Amino acid sequence: MAATELLLLVAGIIAIGVIAQLLSSRLQVPSIIFYIAAGLALGEPGLEILTAETFGSGLQTIVGIAVAIIVFEGAFHLKIERIKEAPQAAVRLVTIGALIALAGTAATVKYAFGVPWNLSLTIGALLVATGPTVVTPILDVVPVRDRVAAALETEGIINDVTAAILAIVFFKTVNPEAVAEGFLNAFFRRLGTGLLVGILVAAILYYLIRYIDLSPDSAPRNARLLVLAGALVAYAVANWQATEAGVAAVAVAGFLLGNADIPYEADIEDFKGDITLLVLSFVFIALAALLEIDVLVGLGLPGLAVVAVVALVLRPILVFISTMGDRFTREERVFMSFVGPRGIIPASVATLFAVELRIAAEELNNPVLAEQASILLGVVFLTILLTAVFEGGLARHIAEKLDVIPMRVIIVGGGQVGRALATRLEDRGENVVIIEEDEQVVELTRNDGFSVKAGNGTDTDVLRSAGAENAKTVVAATGDDDANLLVAQLANSKFDIDRIIARANNPDNVEAFEDLGVRTISSAMATAWAIDNQIERPAIAHWMTDVGRTGDVQEVEVKNPDLLGKSVSDVGPTLPEACLIALVSGGDHKEAEVPTADYVLQEGDMVTLLGRKESVRDGMKLVTKT
């Protein structure tokens, strides 16, 4: 292909990638769906504009560079405080879960195709990797709870590394031309090389960015370029020392640098994110274009059986085992079971393996090796294709059906009031994000286990990045009344939020707040109410204070059609034990009232459930069931 034609093709692929990203944002569908569709249309399955000869032997180098950038960027975003959202689940997913995926997939491939165990284990290792290239686009359009996203993102980053290294080690026993090497020695040599190179590169970059004068006028740009160059150097040097050690190197370097206190971090994140989108689109489109339909079709029913077992049997088993005893709801665990698409690492490594096996087959005149190359490539790409398309395309619909996209509660102000409120709300199952500007308070709040967005809550962009577009409640709880009023006005004018509540530190400001339509809580009056409750009704005051430990009170809308038109006396026995309807509001009456036994629940009624904590939670599910 002429240089001008190649340039035009590359530009076209990048343009398609950008368009795919725009469509993804518009249609709320993961961008990987459009990448694969474009690749199939341009490649050998379609118009044959993009073929194996287009880039020649340089494709593997291009893919390697892309992998370095993608893995580094994913690791750079993986913050320690984010992992703390679900530390136990994350650890189990990358240990117990990875072993289940490896052993289960290998056994399935072995008995589906009758291939040797070494090839089965190679394929099993490759298909352990979920990876940020396919998980992140899904999470971009499915804003699940932070603990769910943290577990899936951590699994993707770490499993990309271990899967690539394990696959290389197992492949050494498949390719007869490969140098024999002990399993543990091969694994730990590559992992150790990656760790060492990654730590060195991260340390050098940290020193250069933090302590070397990068020229004030162009410091952000120089920092971005240094990080990009560092990622590529880490990958190249580690791979030079040990094949596929580069994946571990860039993951370690990205993680260490992303969690270090470096200047221009926001600039680096934005820059790396944009570069990643470009290379990700290019590589996915290119690899999808090289799919050999005959190879996929040749797998037949055994190939489909392998994908079905990987996605529908092994994935749910490993997720449910990995999340046992944690805070995940059943619906969240089902959703996580559904989100396990395979991505760029297995695709690129499988392509490399298939090429090596086919070369060995020709040189040794061994048709068995050629067949094994087709099975390896076909199974991996069929799994990538089907899991990416179906899981990526249906992820948001599944999430909505399972109701795992929580409406957020945003609290602006991470002081004592904000943290105390967040504790009570999270105890009731709310998805709370705190916005705080003071760095010390941010650190303190994160150490307490809360999700925190560092920034000024009076900034529209900060509110948006904290999830205001998907929030049902915004609480302005800072110690500054002017800031609280501004937050309330921004939330009201810029976002469609059901409830906006502001804290008034000065009682004289309450009337001014309410004149602007802001629901206001006076700190002085709230304290007076609490003292009055302790004097006049100490038992209920104590019970309400300990609501997170012993009981709960929740107000929800009656949506269950089986309950509408029934009296409170008829509904009562269907509620869980130790749960009762205390108040009713809405419907044909605005004021809350204690209902009589004959009161008939109507559409639009809001009921207040009171009782033991778990009973109230079960009662809420019953009342809101549609």
Side-chain angles (χ1 to χ4, degrees):
M1 178 177 287
T4 53
E5 293 177 347
L6 183 60
L7 177 62
L8 183 62
L9 181 60
V10 171
I13 293 174
I14 292 175
I16 291 172
V18 173
I19 293 172
Q21 186 62 35
L22 295 176
L23 288 173
S24 171
S25 300
R26 177 70 175 175
L27 302 177
Q28 293 292 283
V29 175
S31 54
I32 187 175
I33 305 297
F34 301 106
Y35 298 155
I36 291 176
L40 294 175
L42 292 174
E44 295 178 8
L47 301 175
E48 296 189 1
I49 297 174
L50 190 59
T51 65
E53 289 74 31
T54 301
F55 299 104
S57 60
L59 180 60
Q60 199 61 41
T61 301
I62 295 173
V63 171
I65 292 173
V67 166
I69 295 172
I70 292 166
V71 174
F72 185 93
E73 195 262 346
F76 192 85
H77 280 84
L78 188 62
K79 308 298 184 184
I80 292 175
E81 59 266 15
R82 187 158 178 78
I83 297 176
K84 289 179 180 178
E85 295 286 344
Q88 294 181 348
V91 170
R92 289 195 290 259
L93 280 171
V94 300
T95 51
I96 298 171
L99 286 174
I100 292 172
L102 170 62
T105 305
T108 305
V109 172
K110 166 69 178 175
Y111 292 109
F113 293 99
V115 296
W117 274 110
N118 53 7
L119 181 65
S120 299
L121 287 167
T122 301
I123 296 173
L126 285 173
L127 294 181
V128 166
T130 52
T133 59
V134 281
V135 171
T136 301
I138 291 176
L139 297 179
D140 285 342
V141 297
V142 186
V144 292
R145 289 187 189 278
D146 289 337
R147 59 174 176 258
V148 176
L152 291 174
E153 288 171 348
T154 306
E155 177 195 25
I157 292 292
I158 296 177
N159 279 356
D160 257 3
V161 175
T162 55
I165 295 176
L166 279 172
I168 284 288
V169 173
F170 285 125
F171 184 69
K172 293 289 183 182
T173 66
V174 177
N175 187 355
E177 296 191 339
V179 178
E181 189 176 8
F183 176 82
L184 290 178
N185 179 56
F187 178 80
F188 286 109
R189 185 168 71 86
R190 285 167 174 79
L191 183 60
T193 300
L195 288 171
L196 179 60
V197 173
I199 292 171
L200 287 175
V201 169
I204 293 170
L205 289 176
Y206 177 81
Y207 178 78
L208 291 175
I209 296 173
R210 183 119 182 125
Y211 297 110
I212 300 299
D213 185 5
L214 298 178
S215 177
D217 294 335
S218 55
R221 182 194 64 196
N222 292 339
R224 295 193 298 263
L225 294 176
L226 272 173
V227 170
L228 177 61
L232 298 179
V233 168
Y235 183 82
V237 171
N239 261 13
W240 172 54
Q241 290 296 313
T243 310
E244 292 309 314
V247 178
V250 291
V252 170
F255 179 74
L256 292 177
L257 203 62
N259 285 279
D261 183 17
I262 58 173
Y264 320 115
E265 184 175 348
D267 293 293
I268 293 171
E269 286 186 349
D270 291 341
F271 176 70
K272 293 286 292 179
D274 292 340
I275 294 294
T276 297
L277 284 177
L278 292 179
V279 298
L280 177 61
S281 61
F282 180 87
V283 172
F284 254 118
I285 291 172
L287 291 178
L290 301 182
L291 279 176
E292 301 175 25
I293 297 300
D294 292 341
V295 171
L296 298 182
V297 173
L299 297 176
L301 290 178
L304 294 175
V306 170
V307 179
V309 171
V310 168
L312 303 178
V313 179
L314 296 176
R315 180 66 184 176
I317 289 174
L318 72 88
V319 166
F320 272 76
I321 290 177
S322 299
T323 55
M324 282 193 307
D326 223 321
R327 296 180 297 163
F328 297 92
T329 66
R330 182 181 61 185
E331 290 77 12
E332 288 171 342
R333 297 166 83 185
V334 171
F335 175 75
M336 292 171 67
S337 300
F338 182 78
V339 179
R342 273 56 179 181
I344 202 72
I345 294 294
S348 59
V349 177
T351 302
L352 172 64
F353 288 173
V355 170
E356 291 186 13
L357 278 182
R358 285 170 178 168
I359 292 173
E362 290 181 3
E363 292 179 351
L364 301 173
N365 193 23
N366 188 340
V368 174
L369 289 179
E371 182 184 359
Q372 290 182 355
S374 295
I375 292 174
L376 186 153
L377 191 65
V379 170
V380 171
F381 268 92
L382 185 64
T383 305
I384 292 171
L385 183 64
L386 294 182
T387 56
V389 170
F390 285 100
E391 295 183 2
L394 297 175
R396 188 171 182 89
H397 300 288
I398 297 295
E400 290 173 347
K401 187 69 176 177
L402 293 172
D403 195 25
V404 296
I405 304 179
M407 298 294 284
R408 293 193 169 193
V409 176
I410 296 177
I411 300 175
V412 180
Q416 292 183 350
V417 173
R419 294 199 302 276
L421 177 60
T423 299
R424 297 175 68 83
L425 292 175
E426 284 201 341
D427 186 63
R428 298 174 189 177
E430 298 285 359
N431 186 28
V432 180
V433 177
I434 297 175
I435 297 177
E436 175 57 52
E437 190 173 17
D438 187 285
E439 292 184 3
Q440 290 184 339
V441 178
V442 168
E443 186 65 24
L444 175 64
T445 307
R446 282 177 176 162
N447 290 339
D448 287 342
F450 296 108
S451 296
V452 185
K453 176 66 181 178
N456 189 334
T458 62
D459 187 323
T460 305
D461 291 336
V462 173
L463 284 170
R464 182 177 289 107
S465 64
E469 292 176 334
N470 190 46
K472 65 178 179 181
T473 304
V474 169
V475 180
T478 75
D480 185 339
D481 283 357
D482 290 337
N484 290 341
L485 182 58
L486 183 54
V487 168
Q489 289 176 320
L490 284 175
N492 185 50
S493 61
K494 300 293 184 180
F495 306 99
D496 184 20
I497 295 172
D498 293 341
R499 288 179 296 186
I500 302 171
I501 302 171
R503 167 190 174 188
N505 300 278
N506 185 343
D508 295 337
N509 292 333
V510 172
E511 186 175 348
F513 275 49
E514 293 181 341
D515 286 344
L516 293 172
V518 178
R519 297 173 64 178
T520 310
I521 302 295
S522 167
S523 296
M525 288 303 300
T527 303
W529 295 333
I531 294 174
D532 181 51
N533 284 332
Q534 292 289 346
I535 295 172
E536 298 294 334
R537 50 197 76 83
I540 190 68
H542 178 72
W543 187 84
M544 286 294 294
T545 301
D546 294 339
V547 66
R549 305 188 195 97
T550 60
D552 203 357
V553 181
Q554 290 288 332
E555 182 179 337
V556 291
E557 182 180 355
V558 182
K559 295 182 180 179
N560 190 337
D562 295 335
L563 301 184
L564 295 174
K566 289 188 176 181
S567 66
V568 170
S569 60
D570 291 333
V571 171
T574 66
L575 291 173
E577 185 180 2
C579 176
L580 55 87
I581 298 176
L583 296 172
V584 177
S585 61
D588 294 335
H589 51 277
K590 296 181 180 180
E591 296 297 326
E593 63 180 38
V594 177
T596 64
D598 297 329
Y599 179 86
V600 176
L601 295 177
Q602 307 167 32
E603 186 174 356
D605 274 350
M606 302 291 294
V607 296
T608 299
L609 301 178
L610 180 147
R612 293 177 183 167
K613 180 178 177 180
E614 295 304 323
S615 298
V616 169
R617 302 291 168 80
D618 293 339
M620 292 170 64
K621 293 179 181 178
L622 173 66
V623 171
T624 58
K625 182 179 179 181
T626 56

